Amino acid sequence: MNYDVILIRYGELALKGKNRDLFEEALVRSVKSVLRSFYKIKVRRNYGRMYVELHGEDSQAVMERLKRVFGISSFSPTVQVEPDEELIKEKSLEMIRQIQPEPRTFRVETRRADKRFPKTSMEVSRMVGTHILRNLPAIKVDVHQPEAVVNIEIRAEGTYISCQTIPGPGGLPVGSGGKVLLLLSGGIDSPVAGWMMMKRGVTLEAIHFHSPPFTSERSLEKVRDLAHKLTKWGGTVRLHVVPFTDIQTAIRQNCPEDYMITIMRRFMMRISERIADDNNALALATGESLGQVASQTLESMNTINDVVSIPILRPLIAMDKSEIMDISRRIDTYELSILPFEDCCTIFTPKKPVTRPKPYMAERFEEKLDVDAMVEDAVKRTVVEEITSKPREVINDLF
């Protein structure tokens, strides 16, 4: 089927009040960005709808891109016709004939936004349904669970007919919710947390703590590849790579083993807060899930939070591991995340980490460390990389 226009519907954006235009403009920018390689396409919007005019471009390729644009609740590939009753009937019949396998039941749904059209929505649906029944004797009407739905939208800017509604990812368009700095490890959880933050409209930057020679270059490349996966949903991700070897070594030499993870995380938060402040990020985000591991108890989170004033967002906080894994598979990060390259959070994991650490105890152990100087040195030596959506050679599991 040769489609003319892809009609995009909004979700939450339709509920916005006086600042609705700002959200819709952000969505237009997102759509134009993901479709920038399609030179003939034009994107326009009207109140409550957005239109992608194909002008001969591949509709399937365009729709694959739109599936990854936050702020879209659903979209439909449509044929545009003049607001003429005969044209509407004939094109609706043609479209339902294109469906394979041939549907046994159908219904017609009409939305008449342009009240100048002489027939009501109900009358248009009845007219088109009757025409289809006369020409396809084997098909029947089922208003509850039809195998096919003919959608007709009669609007001032055009009349659009479709037999397909594809769900979008929902949420809010990236760029409408401020900037967040994601603590990105090489595991399953943090990329999912980043994806969920982008779904709420934030622009994402990422920070990773790298500890050579304890962690290999392959582990860092894995993180770059995970960040690249996220760019498909929200554009370029700036990755801040922090040298963490000296800090981890000092913690290991001067602090009790059971408090090592807690103190390490406190340093990560201090450094992340500095990086966030330097880059106008308003919050940190982590992949922590309550009770999943020893460092993710409420007591641990409280002790870790104690060293910073910036908000720390934890979108996975109440999710089960299976739920997180399901999302990671859906966003195509799971297979990368399970590659066996150590990150700095796992290489020095103690046999019995403290599960209920106290802030005053952590402070006492940190007295042996020059905390401010260590944080300052790590921030100064941080390297920033631009991870774009351009294809890159993804690492393979050699094991």
Side-chain angles (χ1 to χ4, degrees):
M1 189 76 185
N2 294 321
Y3 296 108
D4 303 316
V5 176
I6 296 176
L7 188 152
I8 295 175
R9 304 175 187 88
Y10 312 156
E12 288 184 63
L13 271 66
L15 304 177
K16 299 298 180 182
K18 294 181 180 179
N19 59 352
R20 175 172 172 166
D21 278 350
L22 297 176
F23 286 90
E24 291 190 2
E25 287 168 4
L27 181 56
V28 169
R29 289 194 296 271
S30 293
V31 170
K32 286 182 175 179
S33 178
V34 301
L35 301 181
R36 61 185 177 274
S37 59
F38 297 92
Y39 302 111
K40 298 178 183 178
I41 277 178
K42 292 184 178 179
V43 179
R44 59 185 173 86
R45 69 180 175 100
N46 205 328
Y47 194 78
R49 292 288 186 271
M50 188 178 299
Y51 306 92
V52 177
E53 299 176 358
L54 296 172
H55 297 290
E57 295 280 12
D58 182 352
S59 61
Q60 291 299 321
V62 170
M63 289 189 289
E64 284 301 313
R65 301 278 185 92
L66 293 178
K67 289 178 182 178
R68 297 195 296 266
V69 178
F70 291 119
I72 295 177
S73 62
S74 68
F75 57 88
S76 297
T78 72
V79 172
Q80 183 175 357
V81 299
E82 294 297 319
D84 176 84
E85 294 179 16
E86 292 302 316
L87 286 174
I88 293 172
K89 289 193 295 184
E90 289 304 319
K91 189 55 69 173
S92 298
L93 175 61
E94 180 184 337
M95 294 195 73
I96 205 164
R97 277 177 166 160
Q98 296 285 332
I99 300 174
Q100 295 297 328
E102 184 177 314
R104 294 168 295 180
T105 59
F106 81 105
R107 75 166 179 257
V108 181
E109 294 184 356
T110 303
R111 178 184 175 87
R112 187 189 63 141
D114 183 4
K115 303 307 180 185
R116 296 173 300 177
F117 193 80
K119 281 186 164 55
T120 66
S121 297
M122 187 70 71
E123 289 170 339
V124 173
S125 294
R126 189 180 300 115
M127 173 188 73
V128 172
T130 300
H131 185 69
I132 292 171
L133 289 170
R134 285 174 178 168
N135 287 273
L136 298 176
I139 203 169
K140 295 181 179 180
V141 173
D142 183 344
V143 296
H144 300 294
Q145 292 183 318
E147 294 180 4
V149 178
V150 180
N151 286 292
I152 303 169
E153 290 215 14
I154 303 171
R155 306 178 68 85
E157 57 270 22
T159 298
Y160 306 92
I161 304 171
S162 176
C163 285
Q164 191 177 9
T165 298
I166 301 165
L172 299 173
V174 171
S176 64
K179 185 186 292 184
V180 166
L181 182 64
L182 169 72
L183 277 72
L184 181 62
S185 69
I188 294 172
D189 301 337
S190 57
V192 174
W195 180 84
M196 293 181 70
M197 292 311 307
M198 285 192 291
K199 187 174 182 179
R200 300 314 303 161
V202 305
T203 299
L204 197 70
E205 295 199 14
I207 185 169
H208 176 70
F209 295 86
H210 186 44
S211 298
F214 305 123
T215 56
S216 67
E217 183 63 25
R218 297 296 297 278
S219 71
L220 178 55
E221 193 65 17
K222 172 183 174 182
V223 170
R224 293 185 181 116
D225 290 333
L226 288 169
H228 179 258
K229 293 287 187 182
L230 294 177
T231 65
K232 295 180 180 180
W233 298 87
T236 298
V237 173
R238 298 180 77 237
L239 176 64
H240 303 261
V241 181
V242 180
F244 206 55
T245 307
D246 293 346
I247 291 176
Q248 280 198 291
T249 301
I251 293 171
R252 189 181 188 187
Q253 292 173 347
N254 293 282
C255 301
E257 183 183 19
D258 59 341
Y259 262 80
M260 279 173 49
I261 293 295
T262 300
I263 294 172
M264 182 185 72
R265 296 286 292 176
R266 281 161 64 95
F267 268 93
M268 287 181 175
M269 292 301 170
R270 291 180 177 108
I271 295 167
S272 297
E273 183 177 43
R274 285 281 305 278
I275 299 292
D277 185 59
D278 290 344
N279 291 274
N280 300 314
L282 300 177
L284 306 178
T286 78
E288 292 167 295
S289 172
L290 186 60
Q292 190 176 118
V293 295
S295 64
Q296 295 177 19
T297 63
L298 282 178
E299 290 86 354
S300 289
M301 292 180 191
N302 181 59
T303 300
I304 292 165
N305 290 4
D306 193 55
V307 297
V308 296
S309 58
I310 191 171
I312 302 175
L313 309 178
R314 296 178 169 94
L316 313 186
I317 193 69
M319 296 179 68
D320 293 339
K321 191 68 174 183
S322 60
E323 295 174 297
I324 299 169
M325 290 168 64
D326 286 344
I327 296 175
S328 71
R329 291 188 180 97
R330 179 151 56 92
I331 65 175
D332 195 29
T333 58
Y334 179 78
E335 294 300 329
L336 270 174
S337 294
I338 62 174
L339 293 180
F341 303 123
E342 298 282 0
D343 61 45
C344 68
C345 293
T346 58
I347 53 174
F348 291 146
T349 301
K351 293 180 180 179
K352 293 183 178 180
V354 61
T355 58
R356 300 178 186 275
K358 307 295 183 184
Y360 74 89
M361 291 294 292
E363 291 171 6
R364 180 183 303 173
F365 298 139
E366 288 172 349
E367 289 176 357
K368 297 181 179 180
L369 306 171
D370 191 345
V371 173
D372 291 341
M374 292 165 69
V375 169
E376 183 66 29
D377 178 66
V379 170
K380 284 183 177 179
R381 293 193 293 126
T382 295
V383 176
V384 182
E385 303 179 14
E386 298 278 341
I387 308 296
T388 71
S389 58
K390 293 180 180 179
R392 54 184 278 115
E393 186 177 343
V394 179
I395 57 176
N396 295 312
D397 186 1
L398 303 178
F399 296 85

